[in-house]
Amino acid sequence: MSMCARVFWKGTEMNKTNETVEQLGLSPDSKLVALYSLGKPYSVNRFTCVYNGWGYSNSIDGVTFSASKDIRVTGFGIYASEKADTLAGAAKFVAGGDAKGVPLFSKEVSAVKDDSYGEGKIFRFMFDRPIRCKANEKFSLVVEIRNGTSYYGSGGQYTVSGEKDVVFTFTDCTNSQNGTSVTSGQCPEIYYYI
Protein backbone atom coordinates (compact mmCIF):
# COMPACT_ATOMS: atom_id res chain seq x y z
CA MET A 1 0.00 0.00 0.00
CA SER A 2 1.41 3.37 -0.93
CA MET A 3 0.49 6.44 1.04
CA CYS A 4 0.90 10.06 0.12
CA ALA A 5 1.59 12.30 3.10
CA ARG A 6 0.37 15.88 3.18
CA VAL A 7 1.67 18.34 5.77
CA PHE A 8 -0.66 20.95 7.25
CA TRP A 9 0.17 23.72 9.72
CA LYS A 10 -2.62 25.85 11.22
CA GLY A 11 -4.99 24.86 8.41
CA THR A 12 -2.58 25.57 5.55
CA GLU A 13 -0.95 22.86 3.45
CA MET A 14 2.84 23.13 3.56
CA ASN A 15 5.43 22.01 1.01
CA LYS A 16 7.22 18.80 1.92
CA THR A 17 10.74 20.24 2.04
CA ASN A 18 13.64 20.54 4.48
CA GLU A 19 12.88 24.27 4.68
CA THR A 20 9.37 23.50 5.98
CA VAL A 21 10.83 21.20 8.64
CA GLU A 22 13.23 23.96 9.72
CA GLN A 23 10.51 26.64 9.58
CA LEU A 24 8.25 24.58 11.87
CA GLY A 25 11.12 23.81 14.24
CA LEU A 26 10.72 20.05 13.93
CA SER A 27 13.49 17.83 15.29
CA PRO A 28 13.99 14.05 15.56
CA ASP A 29 12.41 14.28 19.04
CA SER A 30 9.24 16.03 17.78
CA LYS A 31 5.93 14.28 18.23
CA LEU A 32 3.47 14.45 15.35
CA VAL A 33 -0.09 13.31 14.93
CA ALA A 34 -0.72 11.48 11.68
CA LEU A 35 -4.30 11.26 10.48
CA TYR A 36 -5.52 9.43 7.45
CA SER A 37 -8.76 8.36 5.89
CA LEU A 38 -9.33 5.09 4.12
CA GLY A 39 -12.20 6.49 2.08
CA LYS A 40 -15.29 4.53 1.16
CA PRO A 41 -14.91 0.75 1.47
CA TYR A 42 -15.37 -1.53 -1.51
CA SER A 43 -18.10 -4.15 -1.37
CA VAL A 44 -18.96 -7.53 -2.81
CA ASN A 45 -22.37 -9.24 -2.84
CA ARG A 46 -22.59 -13.03 -3.14
CA PHE A 47 -26.28 -13.39 -4.02
CA THR A 48 -28.29 -12.88 -7.23
CA CYS A 49 -31.81 -12.81 -5.66
CA VAL A 50 -33.44 -11.64 -2.43
CA TYR A 51 -36.56 -13.16 -0.84
CA ASN A 52 -38.35 -12.89 2.50
CA GLY A 53 -39.17 -15.49 5.14
CA TRP A 54 -35.86 -16.54 6.78
CA GLY A 55 -36.76 -17.53 10.35
CA TYR A 56 -34.75 -17.46 13.58
CA SER A 57 -34.95 -19.03 17.02
CA ASN A 58 -31.59 -18.58 18.77
CA SER A 59 -30.04 -19.56 15.45
CA ILE A 60 -26.48 -19.52 14.13
CA ASP A 61 -25.99 -18.56 10.48
CA GLY A 62 -22.56 -18.32 8.90
CA VAL A 63 -20.58 -18.51 5.69
CA THR A 64 -16.83 -18.84 5.17
CA PHE A 65 -14.76 -16.95 2.60
CA SER A 66 -11.22 -16.37 1.41
CA ALA A 67 -9.90 -13.55 -0.78
CA SER A 68 -7.35 -13.72 -3.60
CA LYS A 69 -5.46 -10.66 -2.25
CA ASP A 70 -4.59 -9.28 1.15
CA ILE A 71 -7.52 -7.10 2.24
CA ARG A 72 -8.78 -5.30 5.34
CA VAL A 73 -12.37 -6.20 6.14
CA THR A 74 -14.34 -3.43 7.81
CA GLY A 75 -17.73 -5.13 8.12
CA PHE A 76 -20.40 -7.22 6.45
CA GLY A 77 -24.07 -7.07 5.55
CA ILE A 78 -26.85 -8.68 7.56
CA TYR A 79 -30.31 -9.07 6.08
CA ALA A 80 -32.79 -6.95 8.04
CA SER A 81 -36.25 -7.85 9.26
CA GLU A 82 -38.86 -8.01 6.53
CA LYS A 83 -41.23 -6.16 8.88
CA ALA A 84 -40.61 -3.14 11.09
CA ASP A 85 -39.27 -5.48 13.79
CA THR A 86 -35.77 -5.43 15.17
CA LEU A 87 -33.56 -8.48 14.68
CA ALA A 88 -31.52 -8.74 17.85
CA GLY A 89 -28.50 -10.92 18.51
CA ALA A 90 -24.76 -10.99 17.91
CA ALA A 91 -22.62 -10.64 14.80
CA LYS A 92 -19.11 -12.09 14.68
CA PHE A 93 -16.09 -12.13 12.39
CA VAL A 94 -14.23 -15.38 12.98
CA ALA A 95 -10.82 -16.62 11.80
CA GLY A 96 -11.20 -20.02 10.12
CA GLY A 97 -14.22 -21.95 8.93
CA ASP A 98 -16.14 -22.72 12.15
CA ALA A 99 -19.02 -20.49 13.28
CA LYS A 100 -18.21 -21.39 16.90
CA GLY A 101 -14.55 -20.35 16.55
CA VAL A 102 -12.99 -17.52 18.54
CA PRO A 103 -14.14 -14.21 17.04
CA LEU A 104 -11.71 -11.53 15.88
CA PHE A 105 -14.59 -9.09 16.38
CA SER A 106 -17.97 -9.57 18.01
CA LYS A 107 -20.76 -7.19 18.92
CA GLU A 108 -24.42 -7.22 19.88
CA VAL A 109 -26.58 -5.94 17.04
CA SER A 110 -30.09 -4.65 16.56
CA ALA A 111 -30.78 -4.70 12.84
CA VAL A 112 -33.74 -2.44 12.17
CA LYS A 113 -35.24 -2.10 8.72
CA ASP A 114 -35.02 1.71 8.93
CA ASP A 115 -31.26 1.50 9.58
CA SER A 116 -30.73 -0.50 6.40
CA TYR A 117 -29.85 0.35 2.84
CA GLY A 118 -30.38 -1.55 -0.41
CA GLU A 119 -34.15 -0.98 -0.45
CA GLY A 120 -34.17 -1.42 3.33
CA LYS A 121 -33.07 -5.03 3.16
CA ILE A 122 -29.43 -5.01 4.31
CA PHE A 123 -28.10 -3.77 7.66
CA ARG A 124 -24.41 -2.77 7.54
CA PHE A 125 -22.56 -4.32 10.47
CA MET A 126 -19.32 -2.33 10.71
CA PHE A 127 -16.27 -3.17 12.84
CA ASP A 128 -14.61 -0.64 15.14
CA ARG A 129 -11.51 -0.88 12.92
CA PRO A 130 -10.57 -2.79 9.74
CA ILE A 131 -9.23 -6.33 10.26
CA ARG A 132 -6.34 -7.49 8.08
CA CYS A 133 -7.04 -10.70 6.16
CA LYS A 134 -4.22 -12.47 4.34
CA ALA A 135 -4.82 -13.82 0.85
CA ASN A 136 -6.24 -17.37 0.71
CA GLU A 137 -6.84 -17.60 4.48
CA LYS A 138 -10.36 -18.53 5.63
CA PHE A 139 -12.61 -16.25 7.66
CA SER A 140 -16.28 -16.62 8.64
CA LEU A 141 -19.15 -14.15 8.82
CA VAL A 142 -21.49 -15.27 11.61
CA VAL A 143 -24.81 -13.99 12.98
CA GLU A 144 -26.67 -15.38 15.98
CA ILE A 145 -30.20 -14.01 15.85
CA ARG A 146 -32.59 -14.66 18.75
CA ASN A 147 -35.96 -14.50 16.95
CA GLY A 148 -37.96 -13.03 14.09
CA THR A 149 -37.80 -13.29 10.31
CA SER A 150 -35.70 -11.51 7.73
CA TYR A 151 -34.95 -11.24 4.07
CA TYR A 152 -32.46 -13.77 2.72
CA GLY A 153 -30.34 -14.25 -0.35
CA SER A 154 -30.56 -16.98 -2.95
CA GLY A 155 -28.57 -17.87 -6.05
CA GLY A 156 -25.35 -17.62 -4.06
CA GLN A 157 -22.11 -17.95 -5.97
CA TYR A 158 -19.04 -19.91 -4.93
CA THR A 159 -16.70 -17.38 -6.56
CA VAL A 160 -17.38 -13.66 -6.89
CA SER A 161 -15.14 -10.96 -8.36
CA GLY A 162 -15.14 -7.87 -6.17
CA GLU A 163 -13.84 -4.39 -6.79
CA LYS A 164 -10.09 -3.90 -7.36
CA ASP A 165 -9.83 -7.42 -8.85
CA VAL A 166 -10.26 -9.22 -5.53
CA VAL A 167 -11.76 -12.68 -6.07
CA PHE A 168 -13.78 -14.02 -3.13
CA THR A 169 -14.30 -17.76 -2.72
CA PHE A 170 -17.20 -18.81 -0.48
CA THR A 171 -17.59 -22.17 1.28
CA ASP A 172 -20.04 -23.58 3.80
CA CYS A 173 -19.27 -22.73 7.41
CA THR A 174 -19.07 -25.49 10.02
CA ASN A 175 -21.76 -25.11 12.73
CA SER A 176 -23.97 -22.85 10.61
CA GLN A 177 -27.10 -24.49 12.00
CA ASN A 178 -29.92 -22.38 10.56
CA GLY A 179 -29.49 -23.17 6.88
CA THR A 180 -27.14 -20.45 5.65
CA SER A 181 -24.80 -21.90 3.04
CA VAL A 182 -22.95 -20.70 -0.03
CA THR A 183 -26.14 -20.82 -2.09
CA SER A 184 -28.67 -19.17 0.27
CA GLY A 185 -29.16 -17.45 3.62
CA GLN A 186 -27.65 -14.58 5.57
CA CYS A 187 -24.48 -12.44 5.26
CA PRO A 188 -24.90 -11.09 1.72
CA GLU A 189 -22.07 -8.55 1.55
CA ILE A 190 -18.47 -7.94 2.64
CA TYR A 191 -17.03 -4.42 3.01
CA TYR A 192 -13.27 -4.13 2.55
CA TYR A 193 -10.22 -2.02 1.70
CA ILE A 194 -7.17 -3.05 -0.31
Side-chain angles (χ1 to χ4, degrees):
M1 178 175 96
S2 63
M3 293 184 84
C4 178
R6 296 170 62 191
V7 179
F8 289 86
W9 177 255
K10 295 185 178 181
T12 304
E13 185 169 8
M14 307 292 287
N15 293 326
K16 294 181 281 185
T17 63
N18 288 336
E19 290 80 24
T20 298
V21 171
E22 290 174 13
Q23 179 185 2
L24 297 176
L26 299 176
S27 69
D29 295 331
S30 296
K31 294 183 181 183
L32 300 174
V33 175
L35 303 174
Y36 67 95
S37 172
L38 296 172
K40 182 182 176 213
Y42 303 111
S43 66
V44 64
N45 189 314
R46 66 192 192 94
F47 293 120
T48 58
C49 303
V50 179
Y51 298 102
N52 59 1
W54 199 262
Y56 304 94
S57 178
N58 293 316
S59 307
I60 298 174
D61 282 285
V63 68
T64 300
F65 77 93
S66 62
S68 62
K69 295 181 178 181
D70 288 358
I71 60 173
R72 290 172 290 153
V73 175
T74 190
F76 62 91
I78 299 171
Y79 279 117
S81 172
E82 61 193 64
K83 301 172 185 164
D85 302 342
T86 299
L87 290 181
K92 302 176 182 182
F93 186 70
V94 178
D98 189 340
K100 292 185 177 179
V102 177
L104 299 172
F105 184 78
S106 177
K107 189 174 183 180
E108 287 291 314
V109 294
S110 293
V112 180
K113 187 172 184 174
D114 291 344
D115 292 340
S116 306
Y117 83 106
E119 299 175 7
K121 296 178 181 174
I122 299 175
F123 174 81
R124 288 184 173 204
F125 172 66
M126 304 304 283
F127 306 158
D128 293 338
R129 61 176 177 75
I131 297 174
R132 186 171 304 277
C133 300
K134 296 258 185 212
N136 303 312
E137 289 186 7
K138 290 184 176 184
F139 297 88
S140 295
L141 315 172
V142 179
V143 292
E144 297 179 10
I145 305 296
R146 290 191 265 287
N147 56 30
T149 59
S150 75
Y151 294 99
Y152 69 96
S154 185
Q157 304 167 75
Y158 286 86
T159 303
V160 181
S161 294
E163 296 176 80
K164 294 296 182 184
D165 299 320
V166 179
V167 177
F168 290 83
T169 302
F170 293 94
T171 57
D172 291 341
C173 182
T174 303
N175 287 310
S176 177
Q177 303 162 343
N178 195 44
T180 290
S181 66
V182 172
T183 57
S184 65
Q186 259 291 2
C187 309
E189 295 182 329
I190 301 173
Y191 313 119
Y192 64 98
Y193 297 109
I194 298 294

